Amino acid sequence: MTADPTPPAMLLADTQAHQAAPGTAVLRMETTPRRDGTFDGAWWPRSRDLETQLPGLIRALTERLGPLARIGLDASAWDVHTRHAIVDGHMVRIDWSAVDDNTMLITRGRQDIFSFLMLPPQIDTTAARAAMAMAVQDGNSASAAEILTATGITSA
């Protein structure tokens, strides 16, 4: 996986103030002193095509967090299941789960794990913004399913 024809992922502190171009992966990640919520961020890929969506995300996260070791993804969310991605000469291992729980786990180093809500690509902008904002609220203990339900999103 080396091709990257899509625009880069965007790290948005406030998705209300930015318009995302069609095809751009939108990533919202908030850092808080306590890290006591369920999610550290949220990602809204715009398709089920892993080869076009993942490189931009990896670049954005690497820029913010440093080199990534692994990414854990729901198998049902993607059309192709590869074991690793190589982006800018760095290999990131991809672990697949059959849980289908709309989450993504990012591992930096050996033990530093970040949890992300992963939104279905077909949802509308208003619902995506609401879900991303809810996911990163400090102290939020809602599961992915609870966030999707509360914001009117069905994961299909």
Side-chain angles (χ1 to χ4, degrees):
M1 179 184 313
T2 56
D4 186 12
T6 61
M10 297 170 53
L11 287 171
L12 301 178
D14 178 7
T15 56
Q16 300 294 333
H18 297 85
Q19 288 292 353
T24 301
V26 176
L27 173 71
R28 181 178 171 123
M29 185 171 142
E30 293 286 328
T31 55
T32 62
R34 297 191 313 260
R35 278 186 80 188
D36 63 353
T38 303
F39 295 103
D40 299 299
W43 183 38
W44 181 23
R46 297 303 176 91
S47 78
R48 292 173 51 96
D49 183 352
L50 189 68
E51 289 190 8
T52 62
Q53 298 298 301
L54 199 55
L57 174 71
I58 290 172
R59 284 187 187 103
L61 287 175
T62 298
E63 196 173 292
R64 179 89 176 247
L65 302 174
L68 307 179
R70 301 169 92 105
I71 296 178
L73 296 170
D74 289 331
S76 64
W78 302 99
D79 293 333
V80 175
H81 304 119
T82 185
R83 303 304 281 157
H84 65 276
I86 299 174
V87 177
D88 300 333
H90 180 73
M91 185 181 79
V92 178
R93 182 176 169 162
I94 301 172
D95 297 321
W96 295 100
S97 168
V99 176
D100 191 23
D101 65 355
N102 290 91
T103 62
M104 172 178 67
L105 297 176
I106 303 292
T107 306
R108 174 183 67 180
R110 295 179 130 175
Q111 296 178 330
D112 203 1
I113 297 174
F114 298 87
S115 179
F116 288 78
L117 172 67
M118 197 176 88
L119 300 172
Q122 77 281 0
I123 64 173
D124 69 47
T125 303
T126 302
R129 287 178 177 163
M132 288 189 287
M134 187 175 175
V136 298
Q137 285 177 350
D138 209 12
N140 173 43
S141 62
S143 69
E146 291 168 333
I147 292 171
L148 296 181
T149 299
T151 56
I153 298 170
T154 58
S155 60

